[in-house]
Amino acid sequence: MVTSQLEVRSIRDPLVLAAMRRVPRHAFVGTEHMDEAYADSPLPIGEEQTISQPYIVALMTEMLGLRAELRVLEIGTGSGYQAAVLAEIVREVFTVEARVALLDNARRCLGGRGYRNLRFRHGNGWEGWSEFAPFDRIIVTACAGRVPPRLVEQLSPDGVMVLPLAKDAGKQVLCRVTRIGTLGMDIQDGIPVRFVPMISEGGAEE
Ligand code: SAH
């Protein structure tokens, strides 16, 4: 998977490539999708949600520009696969999931893997996780129509957030947001993507 799907598409960060070699993707998909776990595509994980295609996981992780000493917030735990990739690389990972059934499942998948640098929370990701803010990096793995303001507030100065944003006609673009000073942000657009929609601000958790 790493050679044929990531390296050929120019994923270069050695930390990302090593992490994706170490995390067994099959441990994060249900038994019915086990034989497709390393396929070049997203897969269903229940509750009408999906685990992203390996390339998209790698690309978003690379776009974060990670280093071992950083603290990262993830919104949308889902299967827990992206959280595991992050936890292989950085000092601390905080992950928030709105659907309790998925969160419980991710805890189970990740629990046995011995990550001591990973914390979970059930909640709406629009709120972030203020108790542990600021974060050096934030990754959002569901698509919103705008950058959640609370997340910008919880980003360190010069911090980076990677997220899909819905633009005109619902087209989604992978964006890299850099926090500038206390109020500003710079948004760079990347490739077109397709993510599940983010539960709305103030929307009910499940
Ligand atoms: N990172 C995941 C992919 C998850 S799919 C993985 O590696 O498997 C997107 C996830 O975002 C779903 O689990 C969905 O329930 C969650 N989600 C959607 N809206 C959310 C919100 N407002 N707050 C927190 N989680 C949300």
Side-chain angles (χ1 to χ4, degrees):
M1 176 187 89
V2 170
T3 307
S4 66
Q5 297 174 36
L6 310 186
E7 290 179 339
V8 296
R9 291 187 180 118
S10 302
I11 300 295
R12 289 282 172 265
D13 186 335
L15 294 175
V16 176
L17 296 171
M20 293 201 49
R21 282 205 166 87
R22 281 197 297 270
V23 179
R25 189 169 156 96
H26 64 265
F28 295 86
V29 302
T31 42
E32 68 277 29
H33 296 291
M34 202 71 93
D35 54 346
E36 304 154 89
Y38 297 91
D40 192 11
S41 61
L43 290 173
I45 55 170
E47 307 257 320
E48 297 175 5
Q49 305 302 305
T50 53
I51 178 175
S52 300
Q53 176 191 11
Y55 170 63
I56 296 296
V57 173
L59 179 64
M60 291 178 83
T61 311
E62 184 168 78
M63 285 168 73
L64 288 169
L66 297 178
R67 299 188 304 274
E69 69 272 20
L70 300 185
R71 299 167 74 248
V72 181
L73 173 68
E74 178 192 31
I75 304 301
T77 315
S79 68
Y81 178 70
Q82 173 77 69
V85 171
L86 295 169
E88 289 281 342
I89 302 175
V90 300
R91 181 159 66 99
E92 280 183 292
V93 178
F94 302 83
T95 184
V96 178
E97 171 57 54
R99 293 184 169 89
V100 76
L102 292 177
L103 187 63
D104 288 347
N105 188 53
R107 272 191 215 268
R108 236 189 341 267
C109 291
L110 286 158
R113 317 209 67 81
Y115 293 113
R116 290 168 173 270
N117 57 343
L118 189 50
R119 288 183 205 234
F120 302 88
R121 175 175 133 96
H122 178 225
N124 190 325
W126 283 83
E127 297 303 320
W129 198 343
S130 55
E131 188 187 348
F132 292 105
F135 303 98
D136 302 301
R137 303 288 186 265
I138 299 178
I139 177 171
V140 185
T141 63
C143 187
R146 66 189 179 112
V147 182
R150 228 50 38 71
L151 298 185
V152 181
E153 284 165 24
Q154 292 177 24
L155 203 52
S156 309
D158 302 322
V160 172
M161 172 162 30
V162 173
L163 78 172
L165 283 179
K167 305 263 168 150
D168 305 331
K171 287 214 170 71
Q172 297 181 10
V173 177
L174 196 55
C175 295
R176 186 176 192 273
V177 174
T178 311
R179 181 159 186 182
I180 301 170
T182 47
L183 293 174
M185 62 174 165
D186 174 63
I187 307 185
Q188 288 171 275
D189 286 358
I191 62 164
V193 283
R194 274 186 69 181
F195 277 80
V196 293
M198 192 171 177
I199 292 173
S200 60
E201 187 172 12
E205 299 140 24
E206 295 169 20

